[in-house]
Amino acid sequence: EAYACNFGSEGLFGDITAIETQDFPEHDILTAGFPCQPFTRRGSRMGFRDGRGGLFLEIPRVLRARRPAGFLLENVWNLQYLEGGHWDKDESKCVYGDVFKQVIECLGECGYEVRWRALNARGWVP
């Protein structure tokens, strides 16, 4: 409702889990995000055990169905370290957690070379 109020309802399809795979529209680039609450330091930190975290799996479903040339995903910084990882100022000492490894592996299994980078959105987000 909030999106439609701000941008109009043209092209909105509703709940992605209710959309049949063959009904995804063709596209060249997929931009997507998935709920951050299961992954953020201030949230539940339950990762994929939280039903909202499982919505990530809709992204590979779209990638496999439509095979766009590329994709850009966003989520929270802590996604990298959840479940067994930890951050260090010395980047070479950072250990990525099991959740992040699963995300990267799942995207790679869709047939893509996965490159990632953590960005500080402070310059773009008011």
Side-chain angles (χ1 to χ4, degrees):
E1 291 175 19
Y3 184 92
C5 182
N6 288 306
F7 302 105
S9 59
E10 184 178 335
L12 291 180
F13 292 88
D15 179 354
I16 192 166
T17 63
I19 299 171
E20 296 294 325
T21 301
Q22 68 272 9
D23 293 336
F24 290 134
E26 295 288 338
H27 53 280
D28 296 322
I29 303 289
L30 175 68
T31 58
F34 47 104
C36 67
Q37 295 90 336
F39 309 104
T40 186
R41 292 185 300 172
R42 294 180 187 229
S44 70
R45 298 186 194 176
M46 291 183 62
F48 295 126
R49 293 170 307 191
D50 181 314
R52 297 169 293 182
L55 283 172
F56 162 76
L57 297 174
E58 295 300 317
I59 294 168
R61 186 166 73 103
V62 173
L63 292 173
R64 287 185 180 105
R66 291 297 174 228
R67 301 292 309 149
F71 59 91
L72 176 67
L73 306 182
E74 67 82 24
N75 207 279
V76 293
W77 175 86
N78 198 54
L79 175 70
Q80 302 169 87
Y81 306 108
L82 193 62
E83 295 185 12
H86 69 269
W87 178 84
D88 193 285
K89 272 188 169 182
D90 179 348
E91 194 172 328
S92 69
K93 294 180 181 178
C94 289
V95 175
Y96 299 107
D98 291 340
V99 169
F100 188 65
K101 291 174 186 174
Q102 290 172 12
V103 166
I104 299 299
E105 181 179 334
C106 187
L107 295 169
E109 288 172 353
C110 292
Y112 291 89
E113 177 184 337
V114 180
R115 298 179 192 173
W116 67 271
R117 177 161 301 165
L119 301 175
N120 183 342
R122 187 173 300 158
W124 299 298
V125 178

